[in-house]
Amino acid sequence: MDFGSFLKAPEIKVKIVTYRDIFQDKAMIENRFGKEYRDRSAVIKMDSADLKQLNVKKGETVILKNSFGTVVVKAEESGYEPSHRGIAYMPKSPWSNMLVSDETGGTGIPKFKDISVTVTSAKGQKLTELGL
């Protein structure tokens, strides 16, 4: 019997900050429904210590979940120093938009720079397909 199958996968809470990426924009202009756009957009960049805590390697998929949505994206190391545990980065895309609150506090502007999510390993699950 595999007792490891009964253990819950580690999970952590992070704040996501979205950003614009020139290479993602270029891929979108060339083919919004193409593989290159998806590969550059369906990604989260995390601190290496957070990835280690989750037991996730670069390029593996993770599940991002909050009260507004759930999405599966590829995890990468951010490469930023010093350490920024608990803060992650995602390009502005349909994948990050799935996690944004519809509450704007009367401003009419969603909070793209402050998205709280729980992250856990997706262990082989494929990226969330959004019909792109």
Side-chain angles (χ1 to χ4, degrees), residues 108-128:
I109 301 171
K111 293 184 178 180
F112 293 112
K113 302 291 182 192
D114 186 14
I115 305 168
S116 296
V117 298
T118 301
V119 184
T120 188
S121 172
K123 291 295 178 201
Q125 290 187 32
K126 294 184 178 184
L127 297 176
T128 299

Side-chain angles (χ1 to χ4, degrees), residues 43-99:
V43 64
I44 184 168
K45 296 183 179 191
M46 300 175 65
D47 187 83
S48 58
D50 287 339
L51 289 175
K52 186 174 182 179
Q53 183 178 352
L54 289 169
N55 196 26
V56 171
K57 294 176 179 60
K58 178 182 174 184
E60 293 181 343
T61 54
V62 292
I63 300 168
L64 309 178
K65 185 186 325 182
N66 64 14
S67 59
F68 307 105
T70 302
V71 64
V72 178
V73 297
K74 184 172 55 171
E76 292 183 358
E77 282 187 31
S78 69
Y80 299 131
E81 294 296 332
S83 178
H84 55 85
R85 293 196 72 174
I87 299 174
Y89 307 93
M90 286 184 78
K92 286 185 179 181
S93 70
W95 289 269
S96 60
N97 286 347
M98 289 180 67
L99 305 168

Side-chain angles (χ1 to χ4, degrees), residues 27-38:
M28 182 179 67
I29 290 168
E30 290 177 2
N31 185 356
R32 177 181 297 265
F33 305 104
K35 181 181 179 332
E36 184 180 2
Y37 177 71
R38 185 178 59 245

